[in-house]
Amino acid sequence: MRGRLRLRREAVLTLLLGAALSLLLYTQRDGAAPTTRAPAARGLPALRPALGPRDPQVPDAGAAPPAYEGDTPAPPTPTGLFDFGRYLRAKDQRRFPLLINQPHKCRGGGDGAPGRGPDLLIAVKSVAGDFERRQAVRQTWGAEGRVQGALVRRVFLLGVPRGSGTGGGTQAHWRALLAAESRAYSDILLWAFEDTFFNLTLKEIHFLSWASAFCPDVRFVFKGDADVFVHVRNLLQFLESRDPAQDLLAGDVIVQARPIRRRTSKYYIPEAVYGLPVYPAYAGGGGFVLSGATLRRLADACSQVELFPIDDVFLGMCLQRLRLTPEPHPAFRTFGISQPSAAPHLRTFDPCFYRELVVVHGLSAADIWLMWRLLHGPPSPACAHPQPAVAGPFQWNS
């Protein structure tokens, strides 16, 4: 009888401990999950990017500007809470070795004959394990060669995978894979810094330095994420009338965004790191284009600006140092395409939308490949005549 009672007590205690442990794990997971959209401040409506005409608006002097919410659907690696102590201790370390280089990427005409540098260099932020997305870009909008007579070249920007230096052969494994991929496609740039969300700023300054050294004659550069769809013909048409010797940085321009002070946010920035109430105007990091002249000036300016852990805002700070204003373009959609409220039946994944745009952010590898086939394969989409878009910078509405 006593043995049965003891077994029954032990079973009950085991169940209680299991339930408590499950509840604890669930609570920790729910509290640490990174968020990609910052919730609205208490008493304010939720903030959503408008995708209609983006006319400049005068902010209400009595209303606080909304918080920075970013433009990347997911970080390249899980982040959790950001260790600002570690960041502040290491923030002055801004030079890392180049482990895999493409020194001949911009030499000659790309077809075996000597000539000037490429008309358009495509630079795509990626991570080591995202081979599928790189393949989708290579086989669709990021293909190298001549497009409408313009020479297009491509590189992918990578850092060291997180945790790869902990032994067990992991480091040798990813190094071998990336070296093989580099030999096959000649488009991998790999630096020795850890590839994390807040190290995207390091990726920014190292690419600017690399392009200035190895692509000094490039006319224009498109820089974006691996989860964007780019209509390269529309981009080249936009650049036809632009002078690569003049300053240009165009994209989805965000103005009057304020730092997030909430510690649980992925974009949390304490006042000790950035004390001003709003960020300078910046182009959404999902995709923007800049001239060769601006690239070289930015490389110099960014070397003099203190590093900041959000890469597109950091680039806005570098532009501010140069007294340059990013140029808004309505066909750069770094927030994706929202469902039109006036036509809820309309499908946003439709080639008639994408045919008139330059950049759309937040697509899977399969979506990129499918949209490319829908736009470039027979039969071509039957679309109504497009309405002229109204240019203007995107501004958060309070």
Side-chain angles (χ1 to χ4, degrees):
M1 189 67 179
R2 290 180 179 177
R4 289 183 180 180
L5 289 174
R6 184 173 63 256
L7 289 174
R8 186 174 299 176
R9 285 197 301 270
E10 290 177 353
V12 172
L13 287 173
T14 300
L15 289 174
L16 289 174
L17 287 173
L21 180 60
S22 299
L23 181 61
L24 176 62
L25 291 174
Y26 176 81
T27 304
Q28 289 179 344
R29 181 189 65 82
D30 187 59
T35 57
T36 59
R37 310 297 295 175
R42 188 173 300 177
L44 294 177
L47 302 172
R48 295 182 180 178
L51 285 175
R54 302 187 177 194
D55 291 322
Q57 300 177 16
V58 179
D60 183 359
Y68 173 92
E69 295 187 74
D71 59 276
T72 305
T77 53
T79 59
L81 294 178
F82 186 46
D83 186 352
F84 272 101
R86 179 184 176 187
Y87 169 77
L88 291 172
R89 289 190 297 271
K91 69 179 179 62
D92 293 327
Q93 186 181 2
R94 53 194 302 157
R95 291 186 179 182
F96 291 82
L98 184 58
L99 303 177
I100 297 180
N101 191 12
Q102 307 299 333
H104 306 296
K105 175 59 67 173
C106 296
R107 292 185 185 176
D111 47 12
R116 68 181 187 186
D119 297 292
L120 179 66
L121 174 65
I122 294 173
V124 181
K125 294 175 286 186
S126 185
V127 293
D130 216 352
F131 176 78
E132 182 184 13
R133 286 194 187 276
R134 291 195 291 277
Q135 279 296 83
V137 172
R138 290 179 180 121
Q139 296 172 4
T140 57
W141 62 267
E144 294 188 315
R146 297 278 176 181
V147 180
Q148 297 180 162
L151 177 62
V152 178
R153 307 295 275 165
R154 174 196 65 241
V155 288
F156 290 98
L157 317 177
L158 289 84
V160 174
R162 171 178 284 183
S164 60
T166 57
T170 306
Q171 184 174 7
H173 175 69
W174 64 256
R175 283 292 298 274
L177 288 177
L178 291 176
E181 186 177 349
S182 176
R183 290 192 297 269
Y185 299 103
S186 301
D187 59 5
I188 298 294
L189 295 176
L190 173 68
W191 286 276
F193 56 80
E194 193 175 59
D195 210 339
T196 63
F197 177 75
F198 286 100
N199 275 351
L200 288 175
T201 301
L202 291 176
K203 196 170 286 187
E204 190 78 57
I205 63 172
H206 282 77
F207 167 69
L208 290 172
S209 177
W210 178 89
S212 297
F214 293 99
C215 291
D217 299 321
V218 65
R219 291 169 58 80
F220 296 98
V221 175
F222 173 83
K223 186 170 179 293
D225 292 340
D227 61 344
V228 300
F229 178 86
V230 182
H231 202 310
V232 176
R233 292 180 182 273
N234 288 351
L235 177 60
L236 291 172
Q237 185 178 5
F238 163 66
L239 295 174
E240 275 182 5
S241 61
R242 311 308 291 257
D243 183 356
Q246 300 296 318
D247 279 317
L248 169 70
L249 192 147
D252 195 357
V253 177
I254 295 93
V255 298
Q256 292 295 310
R258 63 181 172 86
I260 287 181
R261 306 301 190 191
R262 184 167 37 81
R263 291 181 177 272
T264 56
S265 171
K266 184 179 72 175
Y267 299 106
Y268 164 66
I269 298 293
E271 290 191 49
V273 174
Y274 187 84
L276 298 178
V278 295
Y279 289 133
Y282 62 91
F288 56 86
V289 65
L290 65 159
S291 67
T294 299
L295 178 136
R296 291 182 288 273
R297 294 189 66 198
L298 269 179
D300 182 62
C302 289
S303 68
Q304 304 173 43
V305 174
E306 187 172 344
L307 292 183
F308 189 75
I310 302 177
D311 61 323
D312 46 11
V313 174
F314 170 76
L315 204 62
M317 295 173 179
C318 299
L319 289 173
Q320 189 178 53
R321 182 178 184 86
L322 293 173
R323 300 181 184 274
L324 293 180
T325 302
E327 179 180 323
H329 195 296
F332 286 70
R333 302 286 178 151
T334 58
F335 289 90
I337 303 176
S338 293
Q339 193 82 14
S341 58
H345 62 283
L346 205 57
R347 295 180 300 116
T348 57
F349 191 78
D350 189 303
C352 293
F353 275 110
Y354 289 71
R355 190 184 69 166
E356 308 301 331
L357 299 175
V358 173
V359 176
V360 181
H361 196 202
L363 276 72
S364 68
D367 287 343
I368 292 171
W369 186 88
L370 177 59
M371 184 53 65
W372 181 261
R373 296 295 301 173
L374 290 173
L375 281 174
H376 294 84
S380 58
C383 307
H385 291 293
Q387 296 294 325
V390 179
F394 176 78
Q395 180 165 332
W396 292 110
N397 295 316
S398 14

